[in-house]
Amino acid sequence: MAGLVAFAVLLTLLNLLLIFAVIRRLREHTEQLASLAAGHGSDQNAGLPVGRRVADFSGTTVDGEAISRDLLTGETLVAFLMPGCTPCRKSLPELAETVANWPGGRASTLVVISGDEEKAAEYVATLAPVARVLVEGPDGQVGTAFEAAAYPLFGTVDSHGRVLRSERDPGVLSVVTPV
């Protein structure tokens, strides 16, 4: 009987050790994911390539408007968001305010939402009244043309499609740079 009790105690201790190891590993993964989502992980330099001309792209906004690199006029504010991204959700009110006050209005803004239309509905409802909004898949043509590798991402491009600024905070863009 004593041997059976000792075996049960040993098995319980082994189980506890395994549980603690799994918990520790989960915490490490949570920290890594949070770091990546905040833009401090391996995608630290994943901003828009300042100075580089955006590759050709074309698409259609949620309102049915054609959009392409050649249709960009003046200094255009661009934003890249992804539903399910906590920093994207947190930046949404500030982005909506920045876009609403952007010189040139709706015609000088482009918001690209990477994800399916159903998950993007909240973003579309908030931003479509003040910006041109395009929803595309994760490997969409516009995101690829801009080399957007992290979310959220904000910037400006000139009428030739050259990236002027790249930011992780939309409020920083409210000060317009000379073209």
Side-chain angles (χ1 to χ4, degrees), residues 5 8 17 23 43 45 47-48 54 62 69 74 102 117 126-127 137 142 157 169 176:
V5 171
L17 286 174
I23 289 171
D43 286 333
N45 298 320
L48 299 174
V54 175
V62 295
R69 185 188 68 194
W102 190 256
E117 289 183 25
T126 302
L127 297 166
V142 181
V157 294
D169 175 11
V176 181

Side-chain angles (χ1 to χ4, degrees), residues 74-158:
E75 186 172 351
T76 302
L77 183 147
V78 293
F80 294 88
L81 304 170
M82 178 180 282
C85 157
T86 301
C88 294
R89 179 181 268 300
K90 288 180 179 177
S91 69
L92 195 56
E94 187 175 16
L95 175 61
E97 182 180 335
T98 300
V99 170
N101 296 315
W102 190 256
R106 207 170 177 278
S108 295
T109 59
L110 175 62
V111 177
V112 180
I113 303 170
S114 180
D116 67 49
E117 289 183 25
E118 185 178 311
K119 291 181 181 175
E122 176 190 356
Y123 293 80
V124 172
T126 302
L127 297 166
V130 292
R132 294 179 294 179
V133 178
L134 181 133
V135 179
E136 65 179 11
D139 295 322
Q141 194 179 100
V142 181
T144 301
F146 276 88
E147 298 179 28
Y151 299 91
L153 194 54
F154 312 98
T156 60
V157 294
D158 66 15

Side-chain angles (χ1 to χ4, degrees), residues 45-60:
N45 298 320
L48 299 174
V50 175
R52 189 175 299 156
R53 189 166 189 224
V54 175
D56 285 330
F57 67 86
S58 64
T60 306

Side-chain angles (χ1 to χ4, degrees), residues 11 24 31 68 92 105 135 145 148 162 164 175:
L11 193 58
R24 190 181 96 230
E31 289 172 7
S68 70
L92 195 56
V135 179
R162 191 163 316 282
L164 301 173
V175 178

